[in-house]
Amino acid sequence: MSEDSSLEGLRPAAAASDRTEDPPRLKEKEPAKRGPGVDTDAAEPTKDDKARDAEPPRHAEEHDGPVSERDALRSLADGSGRDDTERSEALRAGAIADEIARRLNADASGTRIGTLALFNADVSFGGGFHTGGSGTGGSRSGGVSVSAMDATDIADHTELFVAPEGYGDALDALCDRRLLVLTAAPGSGREAVAVNLLGEALAMDGGGEGCHRLLTPSTVLGAGWEPPVKNSGYLAALDDGSAVVEKFTSDFLGGSAHGTAQWAAVVATLRASGCFLILTGGRDLEVLAAGPGGDQVARHTLVPVDPLAVVERRVLGHGGSADACADLRGLLERTGAAAALREQPAARNAARLASVIRADGDVTAAVAQLRDPSEQVRAWFNRYRAPEAVAFALAAAVLEECGYLTVAEAAVKLRAALTEPELAPPDLRFGDRLGHEQQWIRLDLPEKGGFGAPRVRFRNTLLGQVILTYAWNLLDGRRDAVLAWLRGLLSHRDLEVRARAAVAAGVLALADPHYAVHRFLTAWAGSTSWPLRQAAATALGVAGSRPETAEAVWNLLDRWARGDASAHQRRLAGTAANAVGGLLGRTEPDRAVAVLRGALDREDDWGTLASVAWGGVHLIHQGQTAAVLDAYLDWSEPQDLSPMVVKSLSAFVFAVSQPYEEPVIDTADDRGHARVPGVPVLLSELPWHHDRLAELWVRALARRPVQDSALDALHAWIDDYAGKCPGSLDAIGELLVSVARQPGRHRERLTWWLEKWARDHEKPSAGATRLLRTLGHAR
């Protein structure tokens, strides 16, 4: 074969005169071993080395046996198709995992998430969680159990009461109709509002016999019911999901006429006996009152009171000075109480903090207890057990920050897994219930003038993780359904959904890493499905982010990386390489490169090359350039014919070819190296790693078959990327001078290719022309 024809595979179409100016082919035999700076291959590759099959190769990790060098290098050099998707997903999942781990490690409340001990302490519940209440004078008449409210109970609700917006309208409606349906979320102060309304209504009606709680309110709808005590006020709580509200609702199943007659009969009885009745509840009561006969009663939706106003009133009374108010507000800000009340604005929480302040108690400790998500989560799960409530809570915990429709769709699917099959789609309206049974969730609308769906967010950043941990540890009968649902999310079309589901799997693994590894992580990591392998890598990054679990995760990754050559073990090794390219590798880069080496050094099996190469790129993008380059230098030091040398240099060339892309959490190292989007990090950081990069370029440009892709990468640096990164062409010039000064044919090779690129008829390279001059001036 002539030397001209041997170059056809790399040369663009050119005139004959161009070929006659080519230098003689640099003919050298490949030695078994070489020293630094000595060429081991010719300056130009052959056509056969660049040949491509008509059909794209199967992904290396899907083969049953060891993958050949040719297929692995071809797949790595291709750099298209699914690799781009994999990289995008890994970056996004890594960014989300990093943020979740930051929240877990910050752990401002002191909660130890991921341990069952977190849920073993006694938890007490405040007002609004029970239909009954304290009080004396309980009696039973007409089949209705009542409890009279004593003076102390009433005074606690009335003396320092803060009237909510619309209070006057509610009072007028109660006086007019005698029966008021007052709806609000539990803990909103609805009982205090009801007691004050009843007291004022009785006073306006000429006095009365005080207030009573109805302990079995459903009996009110029975035939012939009469208030046990005339000229009194009655209060009944019908909490969402309780047996009381279900019984109350079931009495209206007779149809519109039946419901209207029942409501009308109750109102008439109240009017005749000089009594008033307030029913308090949430969304279920609100729907009930809007149904048959609802026009017979007054309805009022309570507007929440500013919790800071409640604290001020209970601490300072009605006559607090401006200075006293300022001092109190300062105390609330310093202790974090104001932030806690923004997260949990229920009036009962404000009252609890006010009592601590009045007693000169430890406000900081009280705030920490209030903000502890474990107490909130346990209280919520004890109160809400219906599949639709649990499903939305878990969906929000996994997909926080996603749009409402995305979260709701996931919740519908999980609810279906938790219930018996239904003939028709259920009438689920999660958004209508958020303010009642999901108070810890808020829907953030786009900024004014913006477009998009509202985003689902928890008021406390740790709540989502604690919800997942609680459900995983304590909902034993639903664990399989939750895991199957989570596994389904990993195949979702939306990348963000897949990434957040993978992070959620990591949170589950924190609860019991040993169980998680054997229950699902190993199966996912060894799967033939890329999304499952990516999910396992992300989950392990989250699981290893805590000091108490990090060592076990690293040991697992080391074992996976050094497994045998079976297809399953190869996939485990690839997943390990992927995992250390994220958060784990940034925190312990030396251990990360050790895992990469274990995954790469697998004799004649080349199937992990792509995973290790991507792992190196991800580490570089997270500020660990020096560690990765030192590893490539160490692994390729023999510079012989061993597969490890070719693999290492191939991974290096792959790294210099990959542009930096956003979104990736900013992890610039201590020297503040700038990352330029769309430019390889190893180019933008070239001045800081000149010596390492020069030696690696020397080895890559002199080693077939790496030489081909190395030349392509160098050409791309000059023509595609240098213009996007100021000063980089000068840095490339200094790099090439260093390469050319090494013993061997490096200068001749660089000169030949720079001349070729500079004189290209279709796209002459001005950068190559300039670098030729630089190379010529440096001797």
Side-chain angles (χ1 to χ4, degrees):
M1 179 183 295
S2 70
E3 66 183 48
D4 284 343
S5 63
S6 69
L7 299 176
E8 289 296 325
L10 277 184
R11 293 179 182 177
S17 58
D18 292 333
R19 295 195 182 110
T20 60
E21 294 172 359
D22 289 342
R25 181 170 176 81
L26 307 175
K27 298 182 179 179
E28 297 178 357
K29 292 187 65 176
E30 179 82 49
K33 189 175 179 67
R34 50 150 287 185
V38 179
D39 284 322
T40 61
D41 207 350
E44 306 88 27
T46 65
K47 179 178 180 179
D48 291 340
D49 290 334
K50 287 291 287 181
R52 295 289 184 265
D53 290 343
E55 293 294 328
R58 295 168 57 199
H59 195 279
E61 292 189 353
E62 310 303 335
H63 284 281
D64 292 331
V67 179
S68 69
E69 172 183 352
R70 181 183 181 88
D71 285 346
L73 293 178
R74 181 173 52 194
S75 176
L76 194 63
D78 184 36
S80 61
R82 191 170 64 181
D83 279 347
D84 289 341
T85 302
E86 293 177 359
R87 182 187 185 198
S88 175
E89 180 160 336
L91 293 175
R92 180 61 177 159
I96 296 173
D98 189 273
E99 175 62 15
I100 294 296
R102 184 194 65 77
R103 294 179 187 176
L104 293 174
N105 292 327
D107 198 5
S109 69
T111 302
R112 297 269 65 84
I113 297 176
T115 63
L116 277 173
L118 183 152
F119 301 107
N120 289 339
D122 292 334
V123 180
S124 60
F125 302 98
F129 280 86
H130 304 289
T131 58
S134 61
T136 60
S139 62
R140 187 174 296 273
S141 175
V144 179
S145 176
V146 299
S147 175
M149 299 180 67
D150 62 20
T152 301
D153 198 5
I154 293 175
D156 186 53
H157 286 312
T158 58
E159 285 185 357
L160 299 174
F161 176 65
V162 178
E165 180 183 344
Y167 178 82
D169 295 337
L171 179 58
D172 291 341
L174 176 62
C175 291
D176 180 47
R177 297 293 183 93
R178 296 277 172 166
L179 195 162
L180 175 67
V181 173
L182 182 67
T183 54
S188 59
R190 63 193 182 190
E191 181 174 303
V193 173
V195 171
N196 279 271
L197 287 172
L198 289 172
E200 292 200 42
L202 288 171
M204 294 170 65
D205 203 43
E209 299 297 328
C211 296
H212 301 76
R213 287 190 175 90
L214 292 178
L215 304 183
T216 54
S218 62
T219 318
V220 169
L221 301 178
W225 172 79
E226 291 186 2
V229 183
K230 309 296 183 184
N231 303 312
S232 297
Y234 291 90
L235 169 63
L238 291 86
D239 291 330
D240 287 346
S242 67
V244 176
V245 74
E246 290 175 2
K247 176 66 169 67
F248 200 86
T249 304
S250 68
D251 289 329
F252 286 86
L253 298 179
S256 176
H258 180 63
T260 300
Q262 286 179 301
W263 282 124
V266 174
V267 171
T269 300
L270 291 170
R271 196 178 301 279
S273 60
C275 294
F276 298 90
L277 171 60
I278 296 181
L279 303 175
T280 64
R283 177 64 181 170
D284 288 347
L285 179 59
E286 188 175 291
V287 172
L288 174 65
D295 56 347
Q296 300 292 313
V297 304
R299 297 190 303 243
H300 184 79
T301 301
L302 186 63
V303 177
V305 179
D306 180 1
L308 296 180
V310 174
V311 174
E312 287 183 0
R313 178 64 58 82
R314 287 182 170 261
V315 173
L316 303 176
H318 292 276
S321 66
D323 289 342
C325 288
D327 290 344
L328 179 58
R329 292 275 179 150
L331 174 67
L332 297 177
E333 290 293 342
R334 289 194 307 274
T335 58
L341 291 175
R342 283 191 290 270
E343 292 175 2
Q344 300 186 70
R348 68 161 171 249
N349 296 327
R352 185 187 309 173
L353 285 177
S355 66
V356 174
I357 296 172
R358 285 201 313 270
D360 292 327
D362 188 341
V363 180
T364 301
V367 169
Q369 183 179 14
L370 177 61
R371 299 189 73 181
D372 184 350
S374 62
E375 182 172 349
Q376 299 176 56
V377 170
R378 180 169 183 171
W380 188 90
F381 273 97
N382 280 349
R383 177 178 177 78
Y384 296 104
R385 300 180 179 232
E388 51 267 24
V390 172
F392 194 88
L394 288 174
V398 173
L399 302 177
E400 185 178 2
E401 303 287 343
C402 291
Y404 170 77
L405 296 180
T406 298
V407 178
E409 180 185 73
V412 170
K413 291 182 179 179
L414 178 55
R415 178 193 175 276
L418 301 178
T419 57
E420 294 293 333
E422 298 171 304
L423 295 178
D427 183 12
L428 297 174
R429 307 182 189 187
F430 296 117
D432 289 348
R433 312 185 70 94
L434 286 184
H436 295 267
E437 63 188 26
Q438 303 275 4
Q439 296 177 62
W440 49 23
I441 295 174
R442 68 177 193 267
L443 290 181
D444 287 351
L445 298 173
E447 295 183 2
K448 189 175 182 179
F451 176 78
R455 296 279 160 176
V456 175
R457 294 186 175 93
F458 284 97
R459 297 183 184 276
N460 182 313
T461 56
L462 292 177
L463 275 171
Q465 286 72 63
V466 182
I467 288 170
L468 286 170
T469 302
Y470 183 98
W472 186 247
N473 283 322
L474 299 180
L475 302 186
D476 297 321
R478 294 175 169 177
R479 189 174 297 117
D480 283 348
V482 170
L483 185 58
W485 166 74
L486 194 63
R487 164 68 177 81
L489 290 180
L490 297 174
S491 301
H492 199 280
R493 289 184 295 272
D494 188 337
L495 167 62
E496 185 170 1
V497 171
R498 299 198 300 272
R500 292 187 178 276
V503 169
V507 173
L508 299 185
L510 276 170
D512 187 340
H514 180 79
Y515 177 84
V517 166
H518 294 283
R519 179 67 177 83
F520 62 91
L521 284 179
T522 301
W524 292 3
S527 171
T528 58
S529 165
W530 159 254
L532 282 183
R533 296 200 299 274
Q534 173 60 45
T538 302
L540 287 166
V542 175
S545 67
R546 300 300 294 269
E548 58 268 28
T549 55
E551 188 64 25
V553 170
W554 278 112
N555 290 337
L556 175 69
L557 295 177
D558 284 332
R559 291 198 303 272
W560 284 358
R562 302 176 190 279
D564 58 40
S566 68
H568 181 259
Q569 287 294 332
R570 185 188 308 117
R571 290 192 289 269
L572 290 179
T575 300
N578 189 8
V580 301
L583 176 65
L584 288 172
R586 191 171 75 244
T587 54
E588 294 196 56
D590 291 339
R591 297 194 74 166
V593 296
V595 170
L596 292 181
R597 174 160 193 160
L600 192 63
D601 193 4
R602 299 167 65 85
E603 298 182 357
D604 294 331
D605 184 358
W606 289 69
T608 58
L609 175 59
S611 297
V612 172
W614 276 118
V617 170
H618 292 155
L619 281 174
I620 289 170
H621 287 190
Q622 297 202 61
Q624 302 304 326
T625 302
V628 175
L629 295 183
D630 285 344
Y632 290 157
L633 286 167
D634 179 46
W635 303 345
S636 63
E637 179 62 29
Q639 302 182 60
D640 55 16
L641 294 174
S642 63
M644 189 62 179
V645 171
V646 177
K647 292 177 183 179
S648 304
L649 294 177
S650 297
F652 163 71
V653 173
F654 186 75
V656 301
S657 305
Q658 299 307 311
Y660 176 75
E661 293 182 3
E662 297 177 315
V664 178
I665 291 180
D666 185 11
T667 57
D669 59 30
D670 294 338
R671 289 180 290 181
H673 299 170
R675 307 287 165 75
V676 181
V679 173
V681 171
L682 293 181
L683 174 56
S684 60
E685 292 187 353
L686 176 55
W688 290 276
H689 303 285
H690 174 91
D691 292 344
R692 293 182 176 94
L693 287 168
E695 177 58 26
L696 284 168
W697 274 108
V698 165
R699 298 178 186 180
L701 288 169
R703 163 64 59 189
R704 192 189 304 275
V706 182
Q707 183 187 72
D708 295 354
S709 55
L711 288 166
D712 290 341
L714 179 60
H715 194 187
W717 268 26
I718 296 170
D719 282 359
D720 299 338
Y721 300 125
K724 301 176 182 179
C725 186
S728 61
L729 195 61
D730 291 335
I732 294 174
E734 295 177 8
L735 172 75
L736 297 186
V737 168
S738 296
V739 173
R741 285 174 175 168
Q742 296 296 314
R745 305 294 184 91
H746 301 291
R747 179 180 295 276
E748 186 175 357
R749 178 185 298 109
L750 289 174
T751 300
W752 191 92
W753 283 102
L754 289 173
E755 288 178 348
K756 179 179 184 302
W757 297 333
R759 296 199 305 266
D760 188 284
H761 283 197
E762 295 182 3
K763 189 180 179 181
S765 172
T769 301
R770 177 176 163 182
L771 292 173
L772 268 174
R773 291 196 297 268
T774 299
L775 206 59
H777 294 156
R779 294 289 178 180

